[in-house]
Amino acid sequence: DVKVTQSSRYLVKRTGEKVFLECVQDMDHENMFWYRQDPGLGLRLIYFSYDVKMKEKGDIPEGYSVSREKKERFSLILESASTNQTSMYLCASSKPGQSHFNQPQHFGDGTRLSIL
Amino acid sequence: GQNIDQPTEMTATEGAIVQINCTYQTSGFNGLFWYQQHAGEAPTFLSYNVLDGLEEKGRFSSFLSRSKGYSYLLLKELQMKDSASYLCAVLDSNYQLIWGAGTKLIIKP
């Protein structure tokens, strides 16, 4: 069965800390994505990657960076955590298609991050 | 701007039928996705519509009208396990994915 695994379900960090969220997929997918999910809003894309070492900014990249050193792993980094980054973070992967987004995405269970 | 509208919450009875609507105003259209997300879990893919009409997959069907900017997800013979949020997402003319806020469906016995 296909699987996207996020390293932590719950995480509590302090303002100003550097935070790493890890995501691993076992489907050999080219595309990987990081979203945040907040109440009353649709999923918002932070960054995505379509190949190893390749990355593209999404709709809300400010305050975040990403790393994709291996095909199966996509990391999200909060350079200096702030309280407005408290959220649910979802990682996803997909096969390549006509575009980066026209294939179904497979999601991890999410990391609920609280910044105090 | 680009916008996707879904009802925030709906309630239905076990065994009944429910229709969850999604209307969109986007710069062009290249497809529409429906995902199901149980509380605390990952969204899972349900359907992808590109052409007008109804597509059926077991108890779930998805309908699209591109001229009206409208889609719905139809769930038949509702079961308690169908209690979840249902997310609509539209692929615009630039192949960017625009997500709705989701509809929380509550099933009552």
Side-chain angles (χ1 to χ4, degrees):
Chain A
D1 197 13
V2 296
K3 199 154 181 67
V4 177
T5 303
Q6 294 185 229
S7 53
S8 305
R9 290 300 302 270
Y10 301 93
L11 207 53
V12 180
K13 296 291 182 181
R14 298 213 171 269
T15 304
E17 280 192 71
K18 191 168 186 176
V19 181
F20 294 84
L21 302 184
E22 307 287 346
C23 175
V24 176
Q25 51 98 0
D26 64 1
M27 295 163 281
D28 202 35
H29 283 168
E30 278 74 8
N31 297 326
M32 295 189 75
F33 311 85
W34 274 107
Y35 293 93
R36 61 179 284 176
Q37 185 174 35
D38 296 293
L41 299 178
L43 295 183
R44 291 184 290 169
L45 182 66
I46 304 171
Y47 269 96
F48 72 97
S49 168
Y50 53 89
D51 202 351
V52 175
K53 297 191 185 295
M54 305 306 291
K55 60 186 179 185
E56 294 277 349
K57 291 180 180 179
D59 301 316
I60 52 165
E62 297 78 18
Y64 303 93
S65 63
V66 289
S67 172
R68 192 158 180 209
E69 296 297 318
K70 293 185 178 181
K71 190 175 185 180
E72 67 271 17
R73 186 179 297 271
F74 192 36
S75 302
L76 179 69
I77 303 147
L78 285 67
E79 297 292 343
S80 177
S82 64
T83 54
N84 63 11
Q85 292 178 309
T86 291
S87 186
M88 170 69 84
Y89 289 87
L90 290 170
C91 175
S93 71
S94 74
K95 298 177 184 179
Q98 185 178 5
S99 80
H100 301 305
F101 297 97
N102 74 330
Q103 293 293 317
Q105 295 183 21
H106 299 266
F107 286 84
D109 283 337
T111 296
R112 188 166 292 282
L113 176 65
S114 296
I115 307 296
L116 305 179
Chain B
Q2 311 219 78
N3 193 51
I4 295 183
D5 287 313
Q6 302 180 238
T8 303
E9 187 173 296
M10 299 180 69
T11 303
T13 304
E14 191 176 16
I17 299 173
V18 71
Q19 178 176 310
I20 302 174
N21 295 328
C22 171
T23 58
Y24 59 90
Q25 301 89 35
T26 57
S27 56
F29 177 86
N30 277 300
L32 186 146
F33 291 90
W34 283 99
Y35 285 81
Q36 180 191 58
Q37 185 179 24
H38 287 101
E41 295 184 12
T44 55
F45 169 73
L46 290 176
S47 65
Y48 177 54
N49 293 67
V50 178
L51 301 177
D52 291 348
L54 185 70
E55 291 194 9
E56 300 187 56
K57 279 187 186 179
R59 293 189 300 113
F60 290 15
S61 302
S62 56
F63 171 82
L64 175 68
S65 169
R66 289 172 295 171
S67 62
K68 295 183 179 178
Y70 168 68
S71 172
Y72 66 72
L73 187 66
L74 191 71
L75 289 70
K76 301 177 185 176
E77 301 168 15
L78 285 170
Q79 302 175 11
M80 297 304 292
K81 68 179 182 179
D82 297 330
S83 292
S85 289
Y86 291 87
L87 314 181
C88 171
V90 173
L91 207 56
D92 71 9
S93 58
N94 294 318
Y95 289 94
Q96 300 302 306
L97 201 55
I98 315 299
W99 292 83
T103 298
K104 182 178 180 180
L105 178 64
I106 300 167
I107 309 297
K108 295 188 173 179

